[in-house]
Amino acid sequence: MPTAAQRERADLAELFRSTGPDAPTLCGEWSTRDLLAHLVLRERRLDAAPGIMVSALAGYTEKVQQGIAARGYDDVLEDFRAGPPLWSPFKLLDSLVNGMELLVHHEDVRRARDGWAPRLLPAAQQQELWSSLKRVGKLGYRRSPVGVLAQRTSGASVTLKEGPRPVTLVGEPAELLLHAMGRDEVRLETRGAPADVELVLALDRGF
């Protein structure tokens, strides 16, 4: 049975194919060509990947990404579809690190278009995303001046930021995770004082 990461890769590859290289995404000004190049760089150009997170190295990363994007779209897509090469650490870590990453970028393409709706994900995948939220949510809401709690529609909850006048975000794990990672195109309910809810929704949730 394929892992969540393998399913997300296959579905995202098909979405990249159907949308073509010039479709919008939720990643700022990046088109699908740019996002695809980013994903291939991340797994296949380990010399350039550190610049994704380290601003001092971002110039080199951008140059390499532009070079990948300049290749034929179909060729780059096949690299992505094939997954990490044998020499990449992502090959061994695929199921651990790519389930969340590929889901988020899958939604970056899906939700950049009108008429999107949340996908119905398997319960096991939602549970994996809930576990990931407990880690990344603390980073996403670290700047919040008020407390932030995440609550599943099933009732389970976790504190992502200690603080006064807590705001509760309610939704499925995928929606909560996407919001924690800076996406606003989500389906969530909010509970708390209106001014505090507005503060949380307006946060810079970038890593």
Side-chain angles (χ1 to χ4, degrees):
M1 179 179 295
T3 65
Q6 290 168 337
R7 291 194 303 270
E8 290 294 332
R9 184 183 299 276
D11 291 346
L12 179 52
E14 180 56 28
L15 185 57
F16 276 135
R17 185 202 63 78
S18 65
T19 59
D22 300 315
T25 74
L26 298 183
C27 299
E29 297 181 357
W30 280 2
S31 67
T32 41
R33 183 194 302 276
D34 299 317
L35 178 54
L36 178 60
H38 161 79
L39 290 171
V40 169
L41 178 150
R42 175 176 168 269
E43 294 181 336
R44 291 172 174 262
R45 287 298 304 268
L46 304 185
D47 61 315
I52 295 172
M53 299 296 293
V54 181
S55 59
L57 305 175
Y60 177 62
T61 299
E62 176 64 20
K63 181 179 179 180
V64 173
Q65 182 170 311
Q66 289 176 354
I68 295 172
R71 293 169 46 201
Y73 184 74
D74 290 342
D75 289 343
V76 181
L77 179 55
E78 285 310 306
D79 281 349
F80 172 71
R81 194 191 300 272
L86 288 174
W87 48 261
S88 172
F90 286 95
K91 185 69 173 179
L92 290 176
L93 299 175
D94 185 56
S95 62
L96 293 176
V97 301
N98 278 335
M100 178 182 72
E101 179 82 9
L102 296 182
L103 175 129
V104 170
H105 288 314
H106 189 172
E107 297 302 326
D108 283 336
V109 180
R110 290 186 70 249
R111 300 185 186 207
R113 300 183 291 176
D114 293 336
W116 67 267
R119 288 181 290 151
L120 183 61
L121 300 175
Q125 186 175 4
Q126 290 280 21
Q127 184 58 42
E128 289 180 14
L129 296 173
W130 179 248
S131 296
S132 297
L133 173 68
K134 294 177 182 180
R135 299 190 306 272
V136 303
K138 295 181 185 301
L139 289 174
Y141 299 107
R142 66 191 183 278
R143 300 183 181 93
S144 177
V146 299
V148 180
L149 285 75
Q151 181 178 320
R152 299 183 65 163
T153 51
S154 62
S157 63
V158 62
T159 297
L160 301 178
K161 174 65 187 294
E162 298 281 357
R165 308 186 313 276
V167 167
T168 301
L169 306 174
V170 185
E172 291 297 323
E175 302 301 305
L176 292 163
L177 179 70
L178 287 164
H179 190 264
M181 296 190 70
R183 277 61 178 180
D184 294 320
E185 289 73 10
V186 294
R187 299 284 169 82
L188 294 176
E189 296 179 14
T190 58
R191 297 173 186 164
D196 294 329
V197 169
E198 186 176 347
L199 282 173
V200 172
L201 296 182
L203 283 172
D204 175 3
R205 304 184 302 280
F207 290 2

